[in-house]
Amino acid sequence: MRIPFGVMVLAGALAVAGCGQKGLRVLQKPGPGPDEFLILPSKPLSTPENYASLPAPTPGGSNLTDPDPKSEAVAALGGNPSALVSGNGVPSGDAALVTASSRYGVEPGVRETLASEDAKFRHRNRHLGRIKIVPVDRYEQLYRKQSIDPFAVSEQFRKAGAATPSSPPEEES
């Protein structure tokens, strides 16, 4: 039996296509066009009540019509948007939380340490399925052993007698 040349070319193309080095989760825009999420609408221009109260212009800085999605979200949820401004220190309402969370000490540079340890972990586990015929979530593959099964944890707490909230039924797979 002879295998048609077209089938061999297709099989070879599929095999080579799976060898590309892509990240854990590849989030790319689908085409060469603009990224619509980078364009933020400005607030409408308005006349200030007092021209003397306007801030001094800062080249390259922000202005009053620039949107600030984080502050707007905090305000919409009933929070204090000024708490987001760095340099304000810890708000007095959060002092007890910061004290309790740092009671065993705070490791300086913990983000950099975790980033380097994670890079080493991913480098050690890079052999996990290099050739893929179909798209696969590499993130889920790499960190599967570190994930928590919420149904098992919930059952463990129920057996220990702790009050646990109800949860949706576990999906059958």
Side-chain angles (χ1 to χ4, degrees):
M1 177 176 132
R2 277 192 79 162
I3 299 175
F5 181 72
V7 173
M8 289 177 26
V9 169
L10 181 63
L14 283 175
V16 172
C19 297
Q21 276 291 56
K22 297 181 180 177
L24 292 177
R25 290 195 170 164
V26 181
L27 301 174
Q28 296 175 343
K29 57 184 180 176
D35 188 356
E36 62 272 11
F37 294 107
L38 290 178
I39 301 169
L40 295 175
S42 296
K43 296 176 186 173
L45 293 176
S46 61
T47 306
E49 293 179 19
N50 181 2
Y51 285 97
S53 67
L54 289 175
T58 53
S62 63
N63 65 48
L64 297 176
T65 62
D66 287 342
D68 188 3
K70 289 184 181 179
S71 295
E72 292 170 10
V74 167
L77 294 172
N80 181 7
S82 65
L84 294 176
V85 179
S86 61
N88 288 355
V90 177
S92 60
D94 294 340
L97 175 65
V98 171
T99 303
S101 63
S102 60
R103 65 186 176 272
Y104 299 117
V106 178
E107 181 182 337
V110 68
R111 291 179 190 265
E112 293 80 14
T113 304
L114 287 175
S116 67
E117 288 176 358
D118 187 53
K120 289 177 190 173
F121 171 78
R122 285 183 292 159
H123 182 73
R124 281 193 312 266
N125 294 297
R126 69 185 182 279
H127 65 278
L128 266 179
R130 289 243 171 148
I131 299 174
K132 301 286 184 211
I133 295 177
V134 294
V136 176
D137 188 359
R138 298 268 300 132
Y139 187 89
E140 194 274 331
Q141 276 186 337
L142 281 174
Y143 296 101
R144 181 178 295 146
K145 292 180 182 175
Q146 298 176 8
S147 66
I148 296 173
D149 179 9
F151 298 105
V153 172
S154 181
E155 187 62 32
Q156 183 181 6
F157 273 88
R158 286 182 183 139
K159 287 181 180 176
T164 57
S166 64
S167 58
E170 189 171 359
E171 292 181 11
E172 299 293 326
S173 50

